[in-house]
Amino acid sequence: MGKTTRNKVLKIGIRFRLVSFTLAIVVMVGGSITVYAFLNQTKNIAQDFEAHGRNLTTLLAKTLIDPLYELKITNASNLVAAAIENKDVEAVYVLDPEGMVLTDGTEDNNYQFETIESFTAANRIALENERVEIKHSPEHLYISIQVISPGNELLGYLQVVLSPRRAIDRQHEELITLIYIVATLFLVGMIFAFLLAKWFTRPIEAMVEGTEKIKNGHLDTIIKLKRRDELGYLASMINQMTAHLGQTTVSKRFVEDIFRSIHDSVIAVNETMVIEMVNPATSTLLGLDEEKLIGQSFNEFIEMSNGAAITKNELIELTSKQGKEIVFKGAEKTIPVLFSAGRLHYGVGYSTGIV
C-alpha cells in the first residue's frame, strides 16, 4: 500500500469517523441547547409581555379613579389617549359598571355608550372574584380590571388590548441570535473535530509508515513518537520488537543483496511454476528485463530435450540431481546451461516453491 493510498484510507477511516462523531455531538448538544433556550426565552418573553400589560393596565386604572369618580369623561379620554400611544397598546376601553363604553380614547369615540364583544357580562362576573382578568388570543392580549374608588365603590371597568407584534419580533430576533450562536458553535466544533482527528491520526500514520518499512525488511526503522499514552506505549513496543527481530533475524534486504550478488543465474518459482524472483545474472543471460520475467510461467523460458513443458513434479525430481543440462530461451538465442534445483521451505515440511 503506497503512502498516498494509506493516507487516503486513514482519512476516510479514523479521521472521517472522528470528525463525523464530533460534529454529531456538537449538533445534538447545540441543537438541544438551542431548542431549550428558544423555548425558555419564548416563555420569558410571553411572561414579560403579560407583566408589562398587567402593570400598564393597573397604573392606568389608578389614574382613572378621580376622573370617573368626578364624572370628568374628557379627562379620562385624555388619559386613555396617552396610553394608546404606547406601541404595544392597540385599544383601550373605559366602561361604566353596566359594561357600556364611556370612552375609547379616540377623537371620535366610536364605541361610546356601546358594548364591545371583548367585554361581556361574563367578564363582569369574573371580575367580581378577580380584580384582573387576562385573556389570550392568537392576535391580541386582553387585560380587564375593575376601577374602584378609595371607598371601595365600583366606578367602572378598564380593558386594555395589546398587540403581541413586538413580542413576536423579539422572539424572532432571539431565534436569529440563537441560530448565529449554533452556527458559530458548529464552525468551532468542525475546526476542533479536524484538529482532534489530525492529532489522533498523525501518530497512527507514523506507526503505519514505520511498520510498512519494517515489513519490507528495514529492521533499523525506529518509530519516533513522543507520547505518554496508549499510542506512545504501542510505538515503544513496536520499536522493541523490531530491535529484537534485528538481533535474531536476517533482514529481507540482506537476503536480497546476497541473492542479487550471485554471478550465476538464479530463478525462484512458486508452487504453480510462476517466476517470483530472478537475479541480475539471469536478466543478463536471457537478455530480458527483470519486470518481463517475474510473473511469467517458468516454461516460457526453458526448452526441454523432448520439447515438452516441465511439470512441477519433474522440477521437484531435479532437486535430487545436480548438473542436469537444459536450454534457456533468451530474447535472441537459446543458451544451454547446467541446471540444479532446490526446494524452498517455510517451517517443517511446508514447501513454498523451488529455486
Side-chain angles (χ1 to χ4, degrees):
M1 182 184 295
K3 184 176 181 180
T4 302
T5 304
R6 180 180 65 248
N7 291 341
K8 184 177 180 181
V9 169
L10 287 173
K11 289 177 181 178
I12 294 176
I14 296 177
R15 186 170 297 182
F16 176 78
R17 289 185 177 90
L18 278 174
V19 172
S20 300
F21 180 72
T22 305
L23 290 181
I25 292 177
V26 171
V27 171
M28 290 174 61
V29 174
S32 299
I33 293 175
T34 301
V35 172
Y36 173 78
F38 177 71
L39 294 177
N40 188 59
Q41 192 66 19
T42 300
K43 180 181 178 181
N44 291 337
I45 291 173
Q47 290 176 347
D48 291 345
F49 178 67
E50 184 175 307
H52 167 67
R54 180 190 290 268
N55 293 335
L56 177 65
T57 305
T58 302
L59 180 62
L60 183 57
K62 290 180 178 180
T63 61
L64 288 171
I65 291 176
D66 289 340
L68 292 182
Y69 185 76
E70 298 173 1
L71 298 179
K72 295 180 178 180
I73 304 304
T74 302
N75 293 345
S77 298
N78 293 334
L79 292 173
V80 172
I84 293 177
E85 293 180 0
N86 190 297
K87 293 182 179 180
D88 293 329
V89 177
E90 191 161 300
V92 177
Y93 303 101
V94 179
L95 306 100
D96 64 14
E98 301 300 324
M100 301 288 291
V101 176
L102 297 175
T103 178
D104 57 15
T106 62
E107 293 181 1
D108 298 332
N109 264 334
N110 295 326
Y111 294 94
Q112 191 173 31
F113 306 125
E114 294 184 8
T115 59
I116 53 175
E117 294 181 359
S118 59
F119 192 85
T120 63
N123 297 107
R124 298 202 307 272
I125 295 173
L127 285 172
E128 290 178 0
N129 300 319
E130 297 290 339
R131 294 288 298 273
V132 179
E133 183 190 36
I134 299 176
K135 293 193 302 183
H136 295 268
S137 77
E139 298 180 354
H140 298 96
L141 175 66
Y142 300 91
I143 302 179
S144 304
I145 189 172
Q146 292 178 331
V147 181
I148 298 178
S149 69
N152 206 29
E153 178 186 356
L154 179 62
L155 302 176
Y157 302 96
L158 171 67
Q159 184 179 80
V160 178
V161 182
L162 296 102
S163 172
R165 285 192 298 270
R166 290 183 62 192
I168 294 173
D169 291 341
R170 185 181 167 191
Q171 290 177 0
H172 290 166
E173 292 174 359
E174 293 291 338
L175 179 60
I176 293 173
T177 302
L178 288 173
I179 290 174
Y180 278 125
I181 293 174
V182 171
T184 302
L185 287 175
F186 183 80
L187 180 61
V188 173
M190 183 178 294
I191 295 174
F192 173 76
F194 277 105
L195 291 177
L196 177 64
K198 187 176 181 181
W199 175 83
F200 190 80
T201 57
R202 185 183 297 171
I204 297 177
E205 291 175 357
M207 284 193 292
V208 170
E209 185 176 353
T211 52
E212 284 192 349
K213 289 181 180 179
I214 295 170
K215 181 192 71 174
N216 293 327
H218 301 280
L219 298 181
D220 57 344
T221 301
I222 297 177
I223 300 175
K224 298 179 180 180
L225 194 61
K226 298 180 179 179
R227 291 173 62 114
R228 295 182 178 180
D229 56 12
E230 290 82 356
L231 292 176
Y233 180 76
L234 178 59
S236 176
M237 291 296 99
I238 292 175
N239 289 333
Q240 293 180 29
M241 179 188 68
T242 305
H244 180 71
L245 288 175
Q247 295 173 358
T248 58
T249 307
V250 178
S251 69
K252 180 180 178 182
R253 185 197 298 177
F254 183 65
V255 174
E256 289 180 350
D257 290 342
I258 295 175
F259 184 80
R260 293 182 179 279
S261 66
I262 298 175
H263 295 292
D264 292 325
S265 171
V266 182
I267 302 173
V269 299
N270 60 21
E271 290 288 301
T272 60
M273 301 294 289
V274 174
I275 297 174
E276 293 284 350
M277 186 181 296
V278 297
N279 66 344
T282 303
S283 298
T284 301
L285 181 65
L286 297 178
L288 295 170
D289 294 335
E290 181 179 339
E291 291 77 11
K292 293 184 178 180
L293 294 169
I294 295 177
Q296 302 297 321
S297 173
F298 180 58
N299 280 296
E300 293 289 331
F301 305 99
I302 64 170
E303 185 176 288
M304 304 298 291
S305 58
N306 58 3
I310 188 170
T311 65
K312 171 186 171 183
N313 292 332
E314 290 173 341
L315 188 60
I316 291 174
E317 289 179 4
L318 291 178
T319 60
S320 60
K321 301 176 182 179
Q322 301 296 322
K324 173 70 176 180
E325 184 174 334
I326 64 171
V327 177
F328 274 175
K329 294 188 290 185
E332 299 178 353
K333 59 181 179 180
T334 57
I335 305 102
V337 297
L338 291 177
F339 179 82
S340 299
R343 299 285 298 273
L344 290 174
H345 293 276
Y346 180 76
V348 179
Y350 183 76
S351 176
T352 60
I354 304 171
V355 60

PDB file of all heavy atoms in Angstrom, residues 18 22 25 43-44 46 49 56 71 82 84 131 138 161 170 185 193 223 241 248 266 300 303 307 352:
ATOM      1  N   LEU A  18     -13.945  10.221  13.344  1.00  0.00           N
ATOM      2  CA  LEU A  18     -13.761  11.170  14.444  1.00  0.00           C
ATOM      3  C   LEU A  18     -14.455  12.493  14.156  1.00  0.00           C
ATOM      4  O   LEU A  18     -15.143  13.049  15.012  1.00  0.00           O
ATOM      5  CB  LEU A  18     -12.267  11.411  14.674  1.00  0.00           C
ATOM      6  CG  LEU A  18     -11.529  10.360  15.510  1.00  0.00           C
ATOM      7  CD1 LEU A  18     -10.039  10.651  15.517  1.00  0.00           C
ATOM      8  CD2 LEU A  18     -12.065  10.323  16.928  1.00  0.00           C
ATOM      9  N   THR A  22     -17.638  13.822  16.268  1.00  0.00           N
ATOM     10  CA  THR A  22     -17.544  15.088  16.996  1.00  0.00           C
ATOM     11  C   THR A  22     -18.612  16.064  16.526  1.00  0.00           C
ATOM     12  O   THR A  22     -19.264  16.735  17.331  1.00  0.00           O
ATOM     13  CB  THR A  22     -16.149  15.707  16.806  1.00  0.00           C
ATOM     14  OG1 THR A  22     -15.147  14.760  17.195  1.00  0.00           O
ATOM     15  CG2 THR A  22     -15.998  16.963  17.658  1.00  0.00           C
ATOM     16  N   ILE A  25     -22.001  15.142  17.852  1.00  0.00           N
ATOM     17  CA  ILE A  25     -22.172  15.565  19.249  1.00  0.00           C
ATOM     18  C   ILE A  25     -22.450  17.054  19.323  1.00  0.00           C
ATOM     19  O   ILE A  25     -23.327  17.514  20.062  1.00  0.00           O
ATOM     20  CB  ILE A  25     -20.924  15.201  20.078  1.00  0.00           C
ATOM     21  CG1 ILE A  25     -20.811  13.675  20.208  1.00  0.00           C
ATOM     22  CG2 ILE A  25     -20.973  15.857  21.453  1.00  0.00           C
ATOM     23  CD1 ILE A  25     -19.585  13.222  20.946  1.00  0.00           C
ATOM     24  N   LYS A  43     -40.906  31.655  26.497  1.00  0.00           N
ATOM     25  CA  LYS A  43     -41.735  31.691  27.711  1.00  0.00           C
ATOM     26  C   LYS A  43     -41.478  32.979  28.495  1.00  0.00           C
ATOM     27  O   LYS A  43     -42.426  33.630  28.967  1.00  0.00           O
ATOM     28  CB  LYS A  43     -41.433  30.470  28.565  1.00  0.00           C
ATOM     29  CG  LYS A  43     -42.240  30.404  29.846  1.00  0.00           C
ATOM     30  CD  LYS A  43     -41.868  29.162  30.645  1.00  0.00           C
ATOM     31  CE  LYS A  43     -42.640  29.099  31.962  1.00  0.00           C
ATOM     32  NZ  LYS A  43     -42.254  27.898  32.749  1.00  0.00           N
ATOM     33  N   ASN A  44     -40.211  33.353  28.625  1.00  0.00           N
ATOM     34  CA  ASN A  44     -39.870  34.571  29.373  1.00  0.00           C
ATOM     35  C   ASN A  44     -40.421  35.814  28.684  1.00  0.00           C
ATOM     36  O   ASN A  44     -40.916  36.744  29.348  1.00  0.00           O
ATOM     37  CB  ASN A  44     -38.363  34.691  29.521  1.00  0.00           C
ATOM     38  CG  ASN A  44     -37.786  33.639  30.448  1.00  0.00           C
ATOM     39  OD1 ASN A  44     -38.498  33.106  31.301  1.00  0.00           O
ATOM     40  ND2 ASN A  44     -36.514  33.328  30.281  1.00  0.00           N
ATOM     41  N   ALA A  46     -43.050  35.956  26.729  1.00  0.00           N
ATOM     42  CA  ALA A  46     -44.506  35.962  26.929  1.00  0.00           C
ATOM     43  C   ALA A  46     -44.859  36.430  28.339  1.00  0.00           C
ATOM     44  O   ALA A  46     -45.798  37.221  28.538  1.00  0.00           O
ATOM     45  CB  ALA A  46     -45.073  34.572  26.670  1.00  0.00           C
ATOM     46  N   PHE A  49     -44.190  40.146  28.569  1.00  0.00           N
ATOM     47  CA  PHE A  49     -45.209  40.898  27.839  1.00  0.00           C
ATOM     48  C   PHE A  49     -46.499  40.980  28.662  1.00  0.00           C
ATOM     49  O   PHE A  49     -47.127  42.039  28.764  1.00  0.00           O
ATOM     50  CB  PHE A  49     -45.476  40.228  26.487  1.00  0.00           C
ATOM     51  CG  PHE A  49     -46.537  40.885  25.667  1.00  0.00           C
ATOM     52  CD1 PHE A  49     -46.355  42.161  25.146  1.00  0.00           C
ATOM     53  CD2 PHE A  49     -47.747  40.229  25.415  1.00  0.00           C
ATOM     54  CE1 PHE A  49     -47.351  42.768  24.391  1.00  0.00           C
ATOM     55  CE2 PHE A  49     -48.728  40.829  24.667  1.00  0.00           C
ATOM     56  CZ  PHE A  49     -48.528  42.101  24.149  1.00  0.00           C
ATOM     57  N   LEU A  56     -49.263  48.091  33.105  1.00  0.00           N
ATOM     58  CA  LEU A  56     -49.813  49.242  32.396  1.00  0.00           C
ATOM     59  C   LEU A  56     -51.295  49.428  32.726  1.00  0.00           C
ATOM     60  O   LEU A  56     -51.775  50.547  33.000  1.00  0.00           O
ATOM     61  CB  LEU A  56     -49.608  49.071  30.889  1.00  0.00           C
ATOM     62  CG  LEU A  56     -50.204  50.163  29.992  1.00  0.00           C
ATOM     63  CD1 LEU A  56     -49.507  51.502  30.260  1.00  0.00           C
ATOM     64  CD2 LEU A  56     -50.068  49.777  28.527  1.00  0.00           C
ATOM     65  N   LEU A  71     -66.834  62.064  37.336  1.00  0.00           N
ATOM     66  CA  LEU A  71     -67.530  62.014  36.037  1.00  0.00           C
ATOM     67  C   LEU A  71     -66.938  63.008  35.029  1.00  0.00           C
ATOM     68  O   LEU A  71     -67.655  63.618  34.235  1.00  0.00           O
ATOM     69  CB  LEU A  71     -69.026  62.293  36.229  1.00  0.00           C
ATOM     70  CG  LEU A  71     -69.797  61.293  37.100  1.00  0.00           C
ATOM     71  CD1 LEU A  71     -71.250  61.700  37.230  1.00  0.00           C
ATOM     72  CD2 LEU A  71     -69.680  59.910  36.520  1.00  0.00           C
ATOM     73  N   ALA A  82     -53.401  59.027  25.854  1.00  0.00           N
ATOM     74  CA  ALA A  82     -51.962  58.952  26.121  1.00  0.00           C
ATOM     75  C   ALA A  82     -51.494  57.497  26.210  1.00  0.00           C
ATOM     76  O   ALA A  82     -50.398  57.151  25.759  1.00  0.00           O
ATOM     77  CB  ALA A  82     -51.643  59.693  27.416  1.00  0.00           C
ATOM     78  N   ILE A  84     -52.799  54.972  24.615  1.00  0.00           N
ATOM     79  CA  ILE A  84     -52.831  54.340  23.285  1.00  0.00           C
ATOM     80  C   ILE A  84     -51.544  54.598  22.518  1.00  0.00           C
ATOM     81  O   ILE A  84     -51.172  53.830  21.617  1.00  0.00           O
ATOM     82  CB  ILE A  84     -54.059  54.828  22.494  1.00  0.00           C
ATOM     83  CG1 ILE A  84     -55.345  54.314  23.172  1.00  0.00           C
ATOM     84  CG2 ILE A  84     -54.022  54.367  21.050  1.00  0.00           C
ATOM     85  CD1 ILE A  84     -56.616  54.811  22.513  1.00  0.00           C
ATOM     86  N   ARG A 131     -59.684  40.726  40.632  1.00  0.00           N
ATOM     87  CA  ARG A 131     -59.569  42.145  40.285  1.00  0.00           C
ATOM     88  C   ARG A 131     -59.082  42.342  38.848  1.00  0.00           C
ATOM     89  O   ARG A 131     -59.390  43.337  38.209  1.00  0.00           O
ATOM     90  CB  ARG A 131     -58.593  42.833  41.256  1.00  0.00           C
ATOM     91  CG  ARG A 131     -59.076  42.889  42.685  1.00  0.00           C
ATOM     92  CD  ARG A 131     -60.215  43.884  42.828  1.00  0.00           C
ATOM     93  NE  ARG A 131     -59.812  45.239  42.502  1.00  0.00           N
ATOM     94  CZ  ARG A 131     -59.280  46.102  43.355  1.00  0.00           C
ATOM     95  NH1 ARG A 131     -59.081  45.738  44.623  1.00  0.00           N
ATOM     96  NH2 ARG A 131     -58.968  47.324  42.985  1.00  0.00           N
ATOM     97  N   PRO A 138     -54.843  34.520  19.505  1.00  0.00           N
ATOM     98  CA  PRO A 138     -53.667  34.460  18.626  1.00  0.00           C
ATOM     99  C   PRO A 138     -53.108  35.831  18.254  1.00  0.00           C
ATOM    100  O   PRO A 138     -51.910  35.955  18.003  1.00  0.00           O
ATOM    101  CB  PRO A 138     -54.196  33.715  17.392  1.00  0.00           C
ATOM    102  CG  PRO A 138     -55.343  32.910  17.887  1.00  0.00           C
ATOM    103  CD  PRO A 138     -55.973  33.740  18.955  1.00  0.00           C
ATOM    104  N   VAL A 161     -56.255  46.434  25.304  1.00  0.00           N
ATOM    105  CA  VAL A 161     -55.999  45.423  24.275  1.00  0.00           C
ATOM    106  C   VAL A 161     -54.576  45.644  23.749  1.00  0.00           C
ATOM    107  O   VAL A 161     -54.260  46.718  23.240  1.00  0.00           O
ATOM    108  CB  VAL A 161     -57.016  45.526  23.117  1.00  0.00           C
ATOM    109  CG1 VAL A 161     -56.750  44.418  22.098  1.00  0.00           C
ATOM    110  CG2 VAL A 161     -58.435  45.459  23.655  1.00  0.00           C
ATOM    111  N   ARG A 170     -39.430  40.240  18.888  1.00  0.00           N
ATOM    112  CA  ARG A 170     -38.345  39.957  19.822  1.00  0.00           C
ATOM    113  C   ARG A 170     -37.996  38.471  19.825  1.00  0.00           C
ATOM    114  O   ARG A 170     -36.812  38.093  19.894  1.00  0.00           O
ATOM    115  CB  ARG A 170     -38.755  40.407  21.227  1.00  0.00           C
ATOM    116  CG  ARG A 170     -37.650  40.274  22.266  1.00  0.00           C
ATOM    117  CD  ARG A 170     -38.146  40.721  23.621  1.00  0.00           C
ATOM    118  NE  ARG A 170     -37.220  40.334  24.674  1.00  0.00           N
ATOM    119  CZ  ARG A 170     -37.475  40.404  25.964  1.00  0.00           C
ATOM    120  NH1 ARG A 170     -38.662  40.871  26.368  1.00  0.00           N
ATOM    121  NH2 ARG A 170     -36.592  40.023  26.867  1.00  0.00           N
ATOM    122  N   LEU A 185     -20.951  27.726  16.969  1.00  0.00           N
ATOM    123  CA  LEU A 185     -20.560  26.508  17.670  1.00  0.00           C
ATOM    124  C   LEU A 185     -20.240  25.388  16.692  1.00  0.00           C
ATOM    125  O   LEU A 185     -19.282  24.625  16.888  1.00  0.00           O
ATOM    126  CB  LEU A 185     -21.678  26.060  18.614  1.00  0.00           C
ATOM    127  CG  LEU A 185     -21.884  26.884  19.892  1.00  0.00           C
ATOM    128  CD1 LEU A 185     -23.101  26.385  20.651  1.00  0.00           C
ATOM    129  CD2 LEU A 185     -20.649  26.812  20.776  1.00  0.00           C
ATOM    130  N   ALA A 193     -12.943  19.387  15.581  1.00  0.00           N
ATOM    131  CA  ALA A 193     -13.009  17.990  15.138  1.00  0.00           C
ATOM    132  C   ALA A 193     -11.850  17.660  14.197  1.00  0.00           C
ATOM    133  O   ALA A 193     -11.213  16.608  14.321  1.00  0.00           O
ATOM    134  CB  ALA A 193     -14.344  17.735  14.432  1.00  0.00           C
ATOM    135  N   ILE A 223      10.280   4.076  15.141  1.00  0.00           N
ATOM    136  CA  ILE A 223       9.094   4.942  15.128  1.00  0.00           C
ATOM    137  C   ILE A 223       9.261   5.990  16.219  1.00  0.00           C
ATOM    138  O   ILE A 223       9.251   5.673  17.409  1.00  0.00           O
ATOM    139  CB  ILE A 223       7.814   4.119  15.357  1.00  0.00           C
ATOM    140  CG1 ILE A 223       7.661   3.062  14.265  1.00  0.00           C
ATOM    141  CG2 ILE A 223       6.588   5.033  15.384  1.00  0.00           C
ATOM    142  CD1 ILE A 223       6.487   2.134  14.481  1.00  0.00           C
ATOM    143  N   MET A 241      10.191  -4.611  19.607  1.00  0.00           N
ATOM    144  CA  MET A 241      10.028  -5.827  18.805  1.00  0.00           C
ATOM    145  C   MET A 241      10.945  -5.797  17.590  1.00  0.00           C
ATOM    146  O   MET A 241      11.580  -6.799  17.240  1.00  0.00           O
ATOM    147  CB  MET A 241       8.567  -5.955  18.359  1.00  0.00           C
ATOM    148  CG  MET A 241       8.280  -7.170  17.502  1.00  0.00           C
ATOM    149  SD  MET A 241       6.601  -7.143  16.828  1.00  0.00           S
ATOM    150  CE  MET A 241       6.747  -5.757  15.679  1.00  0.00           C
ATOM    151  N   THR A 248      17.862 -11.160  15.903  1.00  0.00           N
ATOM    152  CA  THR A 248      17.668 -12.606  15.738  1.00  0.00           C
ATOM    153  C   THR A 248      17.344 -13.030  14.315  1.00  0.00           C
ATOM    154  O   THR A 248      17.335 -14.218  14.019  1.00  0.00           O
ATOM    155  CB  THR A 248      16.534 -13.083  16.649  1.00  0.00           C
ATOM    156  OG1 THR A 248      15.339 -12.378  16.329  1.00  0.00           O
ATOM    157  CG2 THR A 248      16.873 -12.818  18.102  1.00  0.00           C
ATOM    158  N   VAL A 266      20.020 -17.347 -11.086  1.00  0.00           N
ATOM    159  CA  VAL A 266      19.183 -17.923 -10.025  1.00  0.00           C
ATOM    160  C   VAL A 266      17.740 -17.499 -10.282  1.00  0.00           C
ATOM    161  O   VAL A 266      17.448 -16.318 -10.490  1.00  0.00           O
ATOM    162  CB  VAL A 266      19.623 -17.448  -8.627  1.00  0.00           C
ATOM    163  CG1 VAL A 266      18.754 -18.109  -7.559  1.00  0.00           C
ATOM    164  CG2 VAL A 266      21.088 -17.771  -8.382  1.00  0.00           C
ATOM    165  N   GLU A 300       8.057 -20.751 -20.079  1.00  0.00           N
ATOM    166  CA  GLU A 300       8.206 -19.826 -21.198  1.00  0.00           C
ATOM    167  C   GLU A 300       9.676 -19.602 -21.548  1.00  0.00           C
ATOM    168  O   GLU A 300      10.002 -19.158 -22.649  1.00  0.00           O
ATOM    169  CB  GLU A 300       7.564 -18.484 -20.846  1.00  0.00           C
ATOM    170  CG  GLU A 300       6.046 -18.521 -20.684  1.00  0.00           C
ATOM    171  CD  GLU A 300       5.345 -18.710 -22.029  1.00  0.00           C
ATOM    172  OE1 GLU A 300       5.910 -18.284 -23.061  1.00  0.00           O
ATOM    173  OE2 GLU A 300       4.270 -19.318 -22.051  1.00  0.00           O
ATOM    174  N   GLU A 303      13.706 -24.911 -22.501  1.00  0.00           N
ATOM    175  CA  GLU A 303      13.399 -25.814 -23.619  1.00  0.00           C
ATOM    176  C   GLU A 303      13.937 -27.181 -23.258  1.00  0.00           C
ATOM    177  O   GLU A 303      15.144 -27.369 -23.114  1.00  0.00           O
ATOM    178  CB  GLU A 303      14.052 -25.291 -24.906  1.00  0.00           C
ATOM    179  CG  GLU A 303      13.691 -26.098 -26.140  1.00  0.00           C
ATOM    180  CD  GLU A 303      14.284 -25.483 -27.400  1.00  0.00           C
ATOM    181  OE1 GLU A 303      13.789 -24.416 -27.834  1.00  0.00           O
ATOM    182  OE2 GLU A 303      15.259 -26.050 -27.925  1.00  0.00           O
ATOM    183  N   GLY A 307      10.998 -31.424 -25.980  1.00  0.00           N
ATOM    184  CA  GLY A 307      10.107 -30.354 -26.453  1.00  0.00           C
ATOM    185  C   GLY A 307       8.899 -30.118 -25.582  1.00  0.00           C
ATOM    186  O   GLY A 307       8.126 -29.202 -25.845  1.00  0.00           O
ATOM    187  N   THR A 352       7.303 -23.800  -0.141  1.00  0.00           N
ATOM    188  CA  THR A 352       6.754 -22.577  -0.721  1.00  0.00           C
ATOM    189  C   THR A 352       7.164 -22.390  -2.174  1.00  0.00           C
ATOM    190  O   THR A 352       6.661 -21.483  -2.833  1.00  0.00           O
ATOM    191  CB  THR A 352       7.224 -21.355   0.073  1.00  0.00           C
ATOM    192  OG1 THR A 352       8.658 -21.289   0.046  1.00  0.00           O
ATOM    193  CG2 THR A 352       6.745 -21.415   1.509  1.00  0.00           C
TER     194      THR A 352
END
